[in-house]
Amino acid sequence: MIQRSLFRQPRAIGSKLYRTSNSNPSRFYTPVTRISPIPVHRASPSRWYSAETKTEPTTGAQASQSEHAAPEAETVPETEDPLKKELDTKNREIIDLKDKYLRSVAEFRNLQDRTKRDINAARDFAITRFAKDLVDSVDNLDRALETVPPEKLSDAENQDLKSLYDGLKMTERILMQTLSKHGLERFDPGAKGDRFDPNVHEATFMTKVEGKEDGTVFLTQQKGFSLNGRVIRAAKVGVVKNA
């Protein structure tokens, strides 16, 4: 009996609670918020690869195919780089312009030298025509002095002739000094016994002369003149020819 009463009391209590919960259900209800599931991303397993290329052994057929393909690749024409072509063109133009520049500089320097020589020649030989006309007067003065015999100059009775001769001699000396200042020189190859030079001498005759070598000048018929090293009149001479 006691056990039955003990089992009945919990049942009665449970029935009361069930009744009260059914009569007022909102009394014990608590709202529940649903939480959306957080997506979980599973990391895919990463793989690591080697940077080295795997070389496979080539067979004989593959090697022959590569040998036959190599000439075909060589025959393919390469496209020319326009920048390289333009650079080559500019380089050729630079070489051409440099050559023209050097030629122009050389021509200008040659022109300067030629002009300088012409100026010097014009200055040095400006009196050429005047000198050619003057040498005849010098020749006449020289001939006048040569016509006076030396024995008459030593005679005491011919003092007037000696004074005239000395005056003419002094005039000739001063005249030749003045002409020498302007580059006009007189030369007498017979007095020195010079060798015959066709550039400065004019042979009028050739003869045998004892004690003289062949080709030497032994007589001067007309003295020569030079202006600043240029012969304006060759000396007329006689040349030794013993053979």
Side-chain angles (χ1 to χ4, degrees):
M1 293 295 288
I2 295 169
Q3 292 180 351
R4 290 180 180 178
S5 60
L6 290 174
F7 283 114
R8 286 177 182 175
Q9 287 179 358
R11 288 180 180 178
I13 294 168
S15 61
K16 287 181 180 180
L17 292 172
Y18 178 74
R19 289 176 184 175
T20 55
S21 63
N22 288 334
S23 62
N24 193 4
S26 60
R27 185 177 178 182
F28 297 96
Y29 177 75
T30 57
V32 178
T33 58
R34 295 185 179 182
I35 300 172
S36 60
I38 299 172
V40 179
H41 298 281
R42 295 182 178 180
S44 61
S46 60
R47 296 183 181 181
W48 299 87
Y49 297 94
S50 175
E52 298 179 355
T53 58
K54 185 177 181 182
T55 58
E56 297 181 356
T58 58
T59 60
Q62 292 177 353
S64 61
Q65 289 179 0
S66 62
E67 290 178 357
H68 289 297
E72 295 179 359
E74 292 178 356
T75 56
V76 177
E78 297 182 357
T79 57
E80 190 174 0
D81 190 2
L83 294 178
K84 184 178 180 181
K85 184 178 180 181
E86 185 178 359
L87 180 61
D88 294 339
T89 304
K90 297 298 182 183
N91 289 333
R92 287 193 295 270
E93 290 180 357
I94 291 172
I95 294 173
D96 188 22
L97 292 175
K98 185 178 180 180
D99 182 66
K100 291 180 179 179
Y101 168 74
L102 293 177
R103 289 178 183 273
S104 300
V105 171
E107 290 179 359
F108 181 71
R109 289 179 178 175
N110 292 334
L111 178 61
Q112 284 182 327
D113 295 339
R114 191 161 53 249
T115 304
K116 187 177 180 180
R117 288 196 301 268
D118 293 342
I119 293 173
N120 293 333
R123 183 180 64 248
D124 295 338
F125 305 107
I127 62 171
T128 301
R129 295 182 60 182
F130 173 73
K132 287 181 178 180
D133 296 336
L134 187 62
V135 292
D136 294 334
S137 300
V138 177
D139 289 339
N140 293 330
L141 184 60
D142 190 21
R143 292 190 188 100
L145 293 173
E146 289 179 354
T147 56
V148 179
E151 60 272 8
K152 288 186 177 181
L153 296 175
S154 60
D155 191 357
E157 296 179 356
N158 297 324
Q159 292 297 323
D160 295 336
L161 180 61
K162 187 177 184 303
S163 299
L164 178 60
Y165 179 84
D166 293 339
L168 291 175
K169 195 69 176 178
M170 187 180 297
T171 303
E172 182 191 24
R173 184 172 61 253
I174 294 173
L175 178 60
M176 294 308 302
Q177 290 177 356
T178 304
L179 294 177
S180 179
K181 290 179 181 179
H182 295 279
L184 185 62
E185 299 287 346
R186 184 174 62 179
F187 57 92
D188 185 3
K192 300 178 181 179
D194 296 338
R195 298 284 299 180
F196 176 75
D197 186 358
N199 296 319
V200 296
H201 303 154
E202 181 182 352
T204 57
F205 66 95
M206 301 178 71
T207 186
K208 292 182 179 180
V209 178
E210 296 295 334
K212 297 284 186 180
E213 295 182 1
D214 290 347
T216 58
V217 177
F218 72 95
L219 178 65
T220 301
Q221 291 182 332
Q222 189 179 43
K223 297 177 182 179
F225 286 88
S226 63
L227 179 62
N228 294 318
R230 179 187 294 180
V231 177
I232 61 175
R233 193 185 74 178
K236 294 180 181 181
V237 297
V239 183
V240 178
K241 187 178 180 182
N242 293 322

